Amino acid sequence: MTLIATSQDRGIATLTLDSPANRNALSAQLVAELRDALADCAGDDTVRAVVLAHTGTTFCAGADLKAPPDPEAFVGLMREIVALAKPVVARVTGHVRAGGLGLLAACDIAVAGEGSSFALTESRLGLAPAVISLTLLPRVDRTAANRYFLTGERFDAAEAARIGLVTMAAEDVEQGLAPVLDGLRRASPQGLAASKELVTATVLRSFDQYAEDLIARSAALFASDEAREGMTAFLERRDPAWVR
């Protein structure tokens, strides 16, 4: 079963996360298929830009705890989005959790609908938003990162726009996207690639410098007793032992 649906319209390729059974969670299969789809877009001269969309009410629920991807594969996916010589635009009309925020933050532009919600829930599972900090910290207001990294609170599209996680919150996502996609269609391929390179250079250097350490840190947290309790409690829909 394919988890990424693809389509193209006037130079815009749309890659749709289509794994409703697990709320578009980052499974090994979904990550692999999305990397393949991005590679196809990179090699297709008819593609000017990429829209990353989703089916259902959830953009991405974070890591699939039952079939997680290799951490290096997920980091590779985020880096490939950042490094792709074509703009990647996220179209969000649903919920985004944990690792899904790292995927979202890797995109160049993001438009979120009023019904969207966001949360970095890792701390509540005995984990930390380690590898996704590579894309989140360059994008999100530091004061907001201090709060939401630590508390795991849920926030809405307006707050996501205020703190820089998304480009805009829109009552009508299609209307919000229209001028963005029109602008991308009017830009030259060379102009887009060179302009994107300017704004992503620092982020890519961070990947090269810190990714290996963050992958190791994430693996150590996942293997810990606290994380096992946190993930078990999540799957059993109960509070973990440390909640007071």
Side-chain angles (χ1 to χ4, degrees), residues 23-84:
R23 300 185 301 147
N24 294 320
L26 295 162
S27 63
Q29 181 183 348
L30 186 141
V31 168
E33 288 188 16
L34 185 52
R35 294 183 77 178
D36 288 344
L38 287 166
D40 289 342
C41 291
D44 187 343
D45 291 339
T46 68
V47 172
R48 184 67 52 83
V50 176
V51 170
L52 187 60
H54 64 98
T55 59
T57 60
T58 300
F59 175 79
C60 179
D64 185 337
L65 299 182
K66 295 181 179 179
D70 180 89
E72 291 186 3
F74 178 51
V75 170
L77 169 62
M78 291 192 295
R79 193 186 193 286
E80 285 158 14
I81 293 173
V82 175
L84 189 70

Side-chain angles (χ1 to χ4, degrees), residues 54 92-97 111-118 155-158 173:
H54 64 98
V92 182
T93 58
H95 310 301
V96 192
R97 297 290 184 268
V111 180
E114 286 186 331
S116 304
S117 71
F118 308 81
F155 53 95
D156 62 14
V173 172

Side-chain angles (χ1 to χ4, degrees), residues 121-142:
T121 54
E122 286 88 347
S123 65
R124 298 186 180 194
L125 299 177
L127 303 169
V131 296
I132 63 174
S133 68
L134 290 164
T135 58
L136 283 167
L137 290 181
R139 188 178 187 112
V140 172
D141 172 82
R142 184 53 63 94

Side-chain angles (χ1 to χ4, degrees), residues 4-238:
I4 303 296
T6 63
S7 63
Q8 187 172 337
D9 177 44
R10 296 175 51 217
I12 306 296
T14 298
L15 309 181
T16 302
L17 308 182
D18 188 19
S19 183
N22 65 356
R23 300 185 301 147
N24 294 320
L26 295 162
S27 63
Q29 181 183 348
L30 186 141
V31 168
E33 288 188 16
L34 185 52
R35 294 183 77 178
D36 288 344
L38 287 166
D40 289 342
C41 291
D44 187 343
D45 291 339
T46 68
V47 172
R48 184 67 52 83
V50 176
V51 170
L52 187 60
H54 64 98
T55 59
T57 60
T58 300
F59 175 79
C60 179
D64 185 337
L65 299 182
K66 295 181 179 179
D70 180 89
E72 291 186 3
F74 178 51
V75 170
L77 169 62
M78 291 192 295
R79 193 186 193 286
E80 285 158 14
I81 293 173
V82 175
L84 189 70
K86 303 174 183 186
V88 180
V89 180
R91 179 190 183 279
V92 182
T93 58
H95 310 301
V96 192
R97 297 290 184 268
L101 274 76
L103 181 66
L104 174 63
C107 298
D108 302 290
I109 299 169
V111 180
E114 286 186 331
S116 304
S117 71
F118 308 81
L120 287 158
T121 54
E122 286 88 347
S123 65
R124 298 186 180 194
L125 299 177
L127 303 169
V131 296
I132 63 174
S133 68
L134 290 164
T135 58
L136 283 167
L137 290 181
R139 188 178 187 112
V140 172
D141 172 82
R142 184 53 63 94
T143 301
N146 288 345
R147 176 177 179 175
Y148 295 121
F149 271 45
L150 297 173
T151 67
E153 293 170 89
R154 185 171 62 183
F155 53 95
D156 62 14
E159 176 72 350
R162 186 192 72 80
I163 68 177
L165 175 62
V166 303
T167 310
M168 71 177 83
E171 182 176 349
D172 186 310
V173 172
E174 298 308 325
Q175 287 185 3
L177 280 172
V180 172
L181 300 183
D182 180 65
L184 296 177
R185 287 184 171 112
R186 291 177 181 275
S188 81
Q190 175 177 280
L192 288 174
S195 297
K196 176 168 177 173
E197 186 177 10
L198 291 173
V199 296
T200 58
T202 301
V203 180
L204 290 174
R205 284 196 294 270
S206 294
F207 271 85
D208 295 338
Q209 186 172 358
Y210 301 117
E212 186 174 346
D213 174 67
L214 289 169
I215 289 171
R217 191 180 309 184
S218 180
L221 286 168
F222 266 96
S224 69
D225 291 339
E226 277 195 18
R228 279 192 290 273
E229 164 61 11
M231 289 184 283
T232 300
F234 174 79
L235 293 172
E236 294 178 352
R237 299 181 181 275
R238 61 172 175 82

